[in-house]
Amino acid sequence: MCGITGYIGKKIATDILVDGLKRLEYRGYDSCGVAGISPKSELYLKRVSGRVDALDALIAKDPLKKGVVGIGHTRWATHGVPSEDNAHPHTDCNKQVVIVHNGIIENYLDLKGRLLKTGHKFKSETDTEVVVHLIEEKLKTLNVSGAAARGAILEPVFFEAVRRAIAELQGSFAMAVLWAKCPNMLLAARQHSPLVIGLGDGENFIASDVSAFLKYTKKAVFMNDGEIAAVKADSVSYFNFQGKKLDHSPVTIQWDSTMAEKGGYKHFMLKEIHEQPESVENTLRGRLLPLNGDILQQEINLPSELIKNIKGVQIIACGTAYHAGLVGRYVFENFGLPTSVDFASEFSDRAKIVNKDILVIAVSQSGETADTLYAVREAKASGGKVLAITNTLGSTLTREADFVLYTHCGPEIGVASTKAFIGQMAAMYVLAIHFAVIRKNIFEADARKYVDEFLKIPRLIEDTLAGEGAISKVAECFAQSEHFLFIARHINFPIALEGALKIKEISYVHAEGYAAGEMKHGPIAIIYKGMPVLAIATTSKMLSLVANNIEEAKARGAEVIAIVDEDSRKIIKASKYIVVPKTLEILSPLLTVIPLQLFAYFVALSKKCDIDKPRNLAKSVTVR
Ligand code: F6R
């Protein structure tokens, strides 16, 4: 994880770097820092343990030198506790070379041992610091002082030192490096961690994600693994790790910077919950009709023959995206296609079951989740074709998958995923309906009925959101509870899991999602008098069984909060009701998840938790 920024141009670098770090804080926020080179070629640096606002305040009190080149970092600790010493940027012994890094250097202990023997002094516990000392070592072997004395241009020397250092690294990294003796060039390198170059007019940017520089430019080049970029104010050159020059054409990003701002909402999470009608609409737009699958073929190049011939689907994902995968399983199987779902981190040993008869669907908002990317590589190695469902253009997943279906949800900044989840579910429905038609598992007329109902969903989400006030009152009643249970059956079971995950993430309380029918096989023992049990009890063929499970919970003292529609409201007896509009049972997760997201939000708000940046978490988990 961690967020990286870099700038070279004509403006004061620190301002741009700090602004970019604020936008990347979702990637990690336990410590941060910036460094730059002054017009007199002096290296300067400021770091804090804590958030970017603290860094900003410190710089306001004690301004940095006004360089036009610099690098910045916001950290999510892996090696070394969150502290100022462990915060990036890190420097070499002579404070001439400075680095920011995202990822894990797996062989850092070996390298550190070697560097200690040659006299290097370490100031932090991080794996990153070995890289900057290694570059220093390479500069020595390239005889920099000799080169400088001869007046040789130092850029090729700097490039070569970084290239040679990188050749010795194992693990994952995205990094930006500066050398005080070479202030007109920033070097950036990528291996298994995201890095993107923003191309401006007389200025260029480096970042973990485009949101850091969208304010200044929408032209971007997504670096590939195994590449180094030499970034100057008026040019960027790309090389592979062997030093061979490469060509890259920029892409234009459609998102604008205001999409990544709060727009009057107190938190990004609330804003993103409210953006869900649009997320579904944008993910469906132009994709449902005609039903013969032409759209899928044209947009994602997924051949009809492949869809006809597969014997099953294997979904891999993590966290909330995994829950979208579980919903996907019900949807695909409803239309006759056997489907398995695995946590990407648990998939390794099962990868061998994949073959050309199984379509692997990897779901990831960021497209950078390390567990998901590794699972994709394993699936491909077993001969599987991989379809990615992702929200992020240019992400690693889009480049490794065979086919890509984008969810068009816009940037998701709140660490707890909401609108990306609904987009992922919507994408599953789009695929499942098309697959069913192409495989002739459904008559077109029947598929049309699903599509007609599906197209109403964005408006029904709006209606559900209109109940926000009532949901906040229910949440306030239970905000001090230390345990929450979420129960549901069938296609809403993953929504119970998601409801529990949301409240755990942002309120730090214990919550469990359980299959309602399984409660009696053990977990019912945890119910105590007054325990809040949120039960999804919308109209379904399982409703009478859910009603029984609610009675069982009530009989043991639970306070049941039932998520119902107007018909099931007449059947279910609960302490509190949250009413959602009625839709087809198969589409109901797209509505039932909304009150659970809002419930989690309002519980966290009552508890005064840091909703957009919950403790211990990061938005994009790029370590395994
Ligand atoms: C939960 C959450 C995480 C992510 C998970 C996968 O609110 O955000 O559980 O869903 O880390 O992330 P992506 O979808 O980026 O692969």
Side-chain angles (χ1 to χ4, degrees):
M1 1 262 227
C2 305
I4 289 179
T5 53
Y7 174 80
I8 185 160
K10 300 184 194 74
K11 301 185 187 123
I12 306 297
T14 303
D15 301 346
I16 293 171
L17 296 171
V18 171
D19 184 54
L21 289 180
K22 286 185 182 164
R23 291 165 203 281
L24 293 183
E25 245 189 333
Y26 70 85
R27 301 179 63 85
Y29 35 81
D30 57 47
S31 52
C32 54
V34 287
I37 300 176
S38 75
K40 292 186 183 157
S41 295
E42 302 148 310
L43 195 150
Y44 57 87
L45 176 143
K46 185 90 76 191
R47 302 181 301 185
V48 294
S49 169
R51 302 220 168 150
V52 180
D53 277 344
L55 178 70
D56 207 7
L58 198 68
I59 293 171
K61 257 207 283 174
D62 179 16
L64 288 170
K65 296 200 170 77
K66 298 199 182 313
V68 292
V69 56
I71 53 181
H73 189 269
T74 177
R75 179 169 186 248
W76 187 84
T78 55
H79 292 70
V81 295
S83 68
E84 190 180 323
D85 284 346
N86 288 335
H88 301 214
H90 291 286
T91 55
D92 64 336
C93 297
N94 294 315
K95 296 208 170 55
Q96 290 291 296
V97 186
V98 66
I99 191 169
V100 289
H101 161 231
N102 167 29
I104 293 181
I105 307 300
E106 287 163 8
N107 58 335
Y108 86 103
L109 285 175
D110 285 352
L111 294 169
K112 190 168 178 174
R114 229 176 66 198
L115 290 160
L116 282 168
K117 279 193 199 134
T118 51
H120 288 263
K121 299 267 179 296
F122 284 80
K123 303 167 288 283
S124 77
E125 300 162 304
T126 63
D127 52 339
T128 304
E129 200 187 338
V130 297
V131 185
V132 73
H133 289 280
L134 193 59
I135 295 170
E136 181 182 28
E137 196 62 25
K138 300 295 173 195
L139 284 169
K140 267 191 227 157
T141 58
L142 287 163
N143 192 8
V144 172
S145 40
R150 289 193 306 276
I153 298 170
L154 289 176
E155 284 167 9
V157 178
F158 181 29
F159 178 87
E160 189 54 19
V162 170
R163 194 190 73 76
R164 289 189 191 181
I166 282 172
E168 294 190 27
L169 304 181
Q170 287 162 18
S172 59
F173 49 84
M175 59 175 76
V177 195
L178 255 177
W179 183 28
K181 288 197 165 68
C182 198
N184 296 326
M185 183 173 80
L186 259 170
L187 291 177
R190 168 191 164 132
Q191 180 72 355
H192 303 314
S193 291
L195 205 57
V196 54
I197 308 293
L199 303 173
D201 186 10
E203 59 184 1
N204 289 309
F205 306 79
I206 299 170
S208 301
D209 150 349
V210 294
S211 57
F213 57 66
L214 274 184
K215 215 162 128 180
Y216 309 98
T217 180
K218 290 189 178 181
K219 260 170 59 184
V221 170
F222 292 93
M223 290 180 67
N224 296 311
D225 284 343
E227 290 184 359
I228 305 177
V231 185
K232 300 185 184 181
D234 48 13
S235 69
V236 185
S237 311
Y238 304 91
F239 304 86
N240 65 17
F241 284 175
Q242 288 68 47
K244 183 170 173 277
K245 203 154 190 279
L246 306 166
D247 277 335
H248 278 314
S249 311
V251 292
T252 304
I253 307 297
Q254 302 303 336
W255 297 353
D256 70 42
S257 59
T258 55
M259 286 167 86
E261 282 162 16
K262 281 190 208 146
Y265 287 93
K266 198 166 173 157
H267 294 98
F268 280 113
M269 182 179 176
L270 189 60
K271 173 182 173 239
E272 288 160 5
I273 289 173
H274 279 268
E275 284 171 346
Q276 293 181 107
E278 233 182 311
S279 302
V280 173
E281 206 152 333
N282 290 343
T283 302
L284 302 187
R285 182 164 292 137
R287 283 174 166 167
L288 284 172
L289 297 170
L291 280 165
N292 59 11
D294 279 359
I295 305 223
L296 289 187
Q297 275 202 352
Q298 281 158 23
E299 189 190 340
I300 58 179
N301 215 8
L302 192 63
S304 290
E305 280 315 299
L306 188 151
I307 298 169
K308 277 184 204 151
N309 293 336
I310 51 171
K311 302 212 163 35
V313 166
Q314 169 68 55
I315 299 174
I316 42 181
C318 305
T320 287
Y322 168 77
H323 296 155
L326 290 176
V327 172
R329 182 179 77 191
Y330 287 98
V331 182
F332 281 116
E333 292 193 341
N334 179 68
F335 295 124
L337 189 55
T339 302
S340 310
V341 192
D342 259 310
F343 289 122
S345 56
E346 290 290 326
F347 182 63
S348 293
D349 284 343
R350 294 198 63 240
K352 50 185 172 296
I353 61 136
V354 170
N355 54 43
K356 63 175 183 18
D357 296 333
I358 308 276
L359 177 68
V360 176
I361 302 185
V363 192
S364 171
Q365 187 286 128
S366 61
E368 299 294 351
T369 300
D371 287 325
T372 308
L373 294 173
Y374 272 83
V376 162
R377 287 169 199 145
E378 283 170 321
K380 287 184 79 172
S382 296
K385 288 279 181 213
V386 177
L387 164 63
I389 296 179
T390 182
N391 196 35
T392 312
L393 181 88
S395 57
T396 308
L397 183 60
T398 63
R399 280 170 290 152
E400 300 209 359
D402 299 289
F403 315 102
V404 182
L405 179 63
Y406 284 102
T407 53
H408 294 302
C409 301
E412 189 179 64
I413 309 293
V415 165
S417 185
T418 52
K419 65 175 179 174
F421 178 61
I422 214 144
Q424 290 160 351
M425 288 196 287
M428 294 286 178
Y429 288 103
V430 168
L431 289 174
I433 292 172
H434 280 302
F435 283 19
V437 173
I438 293 167
R439 292 167 64 86
K440 300 201 188 316
N441 287 347
I442 189 173
F443 293 117
E444 278 208 35
D446 290 332
R448 192 61 212 232
K449 281 188 208 145
Y450 284 108
V451 168
D452 289 346
E453 203 56 30
F454 198 3
L455 291 171
K456 293 183 197 153
I457 291 290
R459 298 293 74 77
L460 298 183
I461 297 176
E462 276 173 10
D463 295 346
T464 313
L465 288 166
E468 179 178 313
I471 296 167
S472 81
K473 287 205 179 83
V474 179
E476 273 161 31
C477 296
F478 296 97
Q480 298 320 315
S481 296
E482 284 175 8
H483 304 276
F484 291 84
L485 191 59
F486 292 73
I487 57 170
R489 281 180 180 248
H490 199 241
I491 197 163
N492 273 299
F493 166 51
I495 304 302
L497 297 176
E498 177 62 8
L501 175 62
K502 286 290 89 93
I503 206 160
K504 275 189 268 208
E505 283 181 294
I506 60 172
S507 290
Y508 321 138
V509 291
H510 167 239
E512 277 199 52
Y514 233 85
E518 271 297 296
M519 286 298 299
K520 57 186 175 296
H521 298 293
I524 202 165
I526 67 171
I527 293 182
Y528 56 87
K529 191 165 168 28
M531 181 181 196
V533 174
L534 286 95
I536 303 177
T538 44
T539 301
S540 76
K541 47 189 177 302
M542 297 285 180
L543 184 62
S544 60
L545 291 173
V546 175
N548 291 347
N549 304 137
I550 289 175
E551 289 308 316
E552 289 154 11
K554 276 166 42 190
R556 280 137 187 104
E559 291 281 339
V560 173
I561 304 154
I563 318 300
V564 291
D565 55 43
E566 65 201 39
D567 288 349
S568 66
R569 167 85 167 80
K570 295 173 196 146
I571 295 164
I572 298 295
K573 303 275 172 284
S575 310
K576 307 254 183 234
Y577 296 93
I578 296 174
V579 185
V580 297
K582 196 165 169 211
T583 182
L584 297 177
E585 179 182 349
I586 193 170
L587 296 175
S588 61
L590 294 159
L591 301 182
T592 53
V593 72
I594 310 286
L596 300 192
Q597 294 167 338
L598 286 169
F599 185 86
Y601 174 81
F602 286 111
V603 168
L605 194 69
S606 291
K607 295 170 82 77
K608 301 194 175 20
C609 293
D610 193 347
I611 291 178
D612 284 334
K613 295 184 192 115
R615 71 182 184 203
N616 303 342
L617 298 182
K619 180 80 186 153
S620 183
V621 186
T622 55
V623 291
R624 287 176 77 200

